[in-house]
Amino acid sequence: MRISNLRKESSERSDDFNWAKKGLLASENFYFESIEGCNQNNVNVVTHILERARVDIDTTLDQNIEDVYNLIINLEGEDHILRKVNFANCFSANLNYVLYCDESETVLLYEFTSPTKLTHLSTFNSYSEFSHWIASIKGWKSSKAYRESPDLPNFDKKLRAAGTAWPTNIDCFFCDLENNPIGIIEFQNAKNTGVLEHCNNDYLLCKMSYLNQWGYTNYHDDIRRWTSQEILRVQSDLRFIIITWSQNSNDFQIKELEKVSIPFFPLKNGKMDWDYQNRYKAVMNKYVNQNKPENLHNEISKNGKTYNLIKEDNRIVQTVNEPPLSYGNKTFPSLYYVRKEKVSNNREVLLQYFNNIVR
């Protein structure tokens, strides 16, 4: 088969109005890139870094691997592929490249074994078959409903309908002028809470709750989200920068993450102890929504546990923090920062603050 007409499609919907990201692109000290897909498996390891493009396919013609390589390079740019390959190497992985055709629902999986060498790994005969492959490398299935958008690419809609979506993207990573990755950037759009008022720890600590259909209280938290980000930071050994912004504001926050102490929910007879987990989340919910009183802080400190992720021999392992937990020892459930800044009504200085933090 012969592929042609490579073009980019994305499930990411916020880049067009992300003034914070556009402001950083003016830097003369760093290169900035994004990654379309990053797979984490059920033992907290990044296994695949993926890029993708939609193509046309003619099954009556043949094509060699060098031609495919050149088509991808012409689309992406040689330096961009180099930086993405180097980024994948931070996770002891190669950069995978996925080419897909809506008309035939064929998916071609390639791998950059080096910035200049491309290898064909697999051909999938349907989007459903490729969705099942994603499920196999994840080893787990999300229980949350997908946030659908009518302008999602057809590829993403079909993968979701088949049961497993395209892996989550990485907002941004940045490299020095020699194309070596330095850090990862997470952009947070705080359009619903206010930029300067937004606090990641409130949501880690289960600020939101709702009654389910059986009348029981469920707690909405960002524990899985920040566990995922912590996996990126720990496994890659890269710096992790958080930038909070809004399209409706000139305010911003910029922080460098030091570590995350994650609420620990032990197993009971080999299964999740849901009663313990709900009690833990209920106390955290009250703690946040009652303005963090001392008595609830003490209850979490005395009765709760947290864990940290560390890398040992290229494995990601958990170290459990036993009570009493404390902010001073950085064991209380929280995100901890090397440095953080809040800037009011002055988006023009974001790049200056970024340079000051990462220099």
Side-chain angles (χ1 to χ4, degrees):
M1 67 179 66
R2 178 178 291 274
I3 65 170
S4 62
N5 191 23
L6 276 67
R7 62 269 200 198
K8 301 292 283 186
E9 292 184 327
S10 176
S11 59
E12 176 59 41
R13 315 323 282 161
S14 64
D15 264 6
D16 288 345
F17 47 85
N18 186 342
W19 62 257
K21 190 172 185 178
K22 291 177 180 177
L24 294 184
L25 295 179
S27 172
E28 297 179 351
N29 301 314
F30 306 102
Y31 294 119
F32 297 88
E33 301 284 353
S34 60
I35 290 291
E36 192 65 32
C38 173
N39 180 74
Q40 295 181 357
N41 67 11
N42 58 354
V43 291
N44 293 337
V45 173
V46 172
T47 62
H48 293 71
I49 301 294
L50 305 105
E51 275 299 339
R52 70 187 216 184
R54 182 180 170 186
V55 300
D56 296 336
I57 292 179
D58 187 337
T59 58
T60 66
L61 299 173
D62 293 328
Q63 190 171 46
N64 60 41
I65 193 69
E66 289 77 14
D67 289 339
V68 178
Y69 170 84
N70 288 328
L71 286 169
I72 293 173
I73 292 299
N74 289 338
L75 176 69
E76 294 273 357
E78 189 173 358
D79 288 343
H80 295 279
I81 286 294
L82 171 60
R83 290 191 280 270
K84 292 178 182 183
V85 168
N86 289 345
F87 180 75
N89 291 166
C90 292
F91 298 92
S92 300
N94 292 326
L95 175 67
N96 290 111
Y97 212 99
V98 175
L99 302 178
Y100 60 94
C101 175
D102 273 357
E103 288 69 29
S104 64
E105 294 202 358
T106 302
V107 182
L108 304 169
L109 176 64
Y110 295 88
E111 180 181 67
F112 280 92
T113 55
S114 78
T116 57
K117 184 173 178 57
L118 186 71
T119 302
H120 174 248
L121 297 181
S122 300
T123 297
F124 302 90
N125 295 315
S126 69
Y127 286 176
S128 177
E129 186 180 334
F130 183 68
S131 175
H132 295 157
W133 176 79
I134 298 172
S136 73
I137 64 173
K138 289 174 74 70
W140 59 279
K141 187 174 181 179
S142 175
S143 60
K144 292 184 177 181
Y146 297 122
R147 289 183 289 181
E148 300 292 356
S149 174
D151 60 345
L152 273 178
N154 177 63
F155 182 50
D156 292 283
K157 292 179 181 179
K158 289 293 185 72
L159 293 180
R160 294 178 180 203
T164 307
W166 176 264
T168 187
N169 74 318
I170 294 178
D171 281 342
C172 189
F173 70 92
F174 59 102
C175 298
D176 62 23
L177 298 184
E178 285 72 47
N179 300 310
N180 301 304
I182 299 173
I184 298 169
I185 304 175
E186 168 76 1
F187 292 99
Q188 300 180 319
N189 189 344
K191 61 182 179 180
N192 296 323
T193 60
V195 174
L196 300 184
E197 295 75 29
H198 185 273
C199 177
N200 292 315
N201 285 321
D202 287 353
Y203 297 94
L204 180 73
L205 296 172
C206 312
K207 181 176 183 177
M208 309 301 292
S209 63
Y210 61 94
L211 290 177
N212 64 24
Q213 58 184 318
W214 299 283
Y216 295 101
T217 301
N218 283 358
Y219 299 95
H220 178 75
D221 59 76
D222 280 349
I223 294 173
R224 179 62 235 177
R225 174 190 177 189
W226 285 109
T227 301
S228 178
Q229 304 293 3
E230 184 70 343
I231 293 167
L232 294 180
R233 186 189 68 82
V234 172
Q235 188 175 343
S236 68
D237 289 320
L238 297 175
R239 300 172 72 173
F240 198 99
I241 308 297
I242 302 166
I243 297 176
T244 307
W245 67 285
S246 168
Q247 65 266 42
N248 304 317
S249 172
N250 290 322
D251 303 337
F252 66 87
Q253 294 190 50
I254 183 167
K255 310 168 186 176
E256 181 173 2
L257 185 65
E258 179 182 355
K259 65 188 292 188
V260 184
S261 289
I262 305 163
F264 178 75
F265 306 125
L267 301 179
K268 185 177 183 180
N269 299 322
K271 297 181 179 179
M272 178 60 67
D273 187 343
W274 294 108
D275 288 338
Y276 175 89
Q277 181 178 135
N278 286 336
R279 287 195 303 271
Y280 197 160
K281 288 188 175 184
V283 177
M284 290 193 294
N285 174 264
K286 292 178 182 178
Y287 175 66
V288 172
N289 287 298
Q290 294 179 18
N291 201 26
K292 302 179 181 178
E294 183 177 358
N295 64 311
L296 292 177
H297 175 277
N298 291 339
E299 185 174 347
I300 296 170
S301 174
K302 293 177 181 178
N303 300 316
K305 297 181 181 181
T306 59
Y307 70 93
N308 301 114
L309 298 176
I310 62 172
K311 185 160 71 171
E312 289 184 350
D313 300 324
N314 286 322
R315 296 182 303 115
I316 305 300
V317 299
Q318 297 182 3
T319 60
V320 177
N321 302 307
E322 300 288 343
L325 308 177
S326 72
Y327 284 115
N329 292 329
K330 300 178 182 177
T331 56
F332 196 85
S334 180
L335 280 70
Y336 294 91
Y337 303 108
V338 177
R339 179 179 173 184
K340 57 183 178 180
E341 302 282 354
K342 293 184 178 183
V343 177
S344 174
N345 198 34
N346 195 357
R347 68 168 67 177
E348 288 77 14
V349 300
L350 172 60
L351 181 55
Q352 173 187 331
Y353 274 77
F354 177 83
N355 287 333
N356 288 341
I357 281 182
V358 302
R359 66 183 177 186

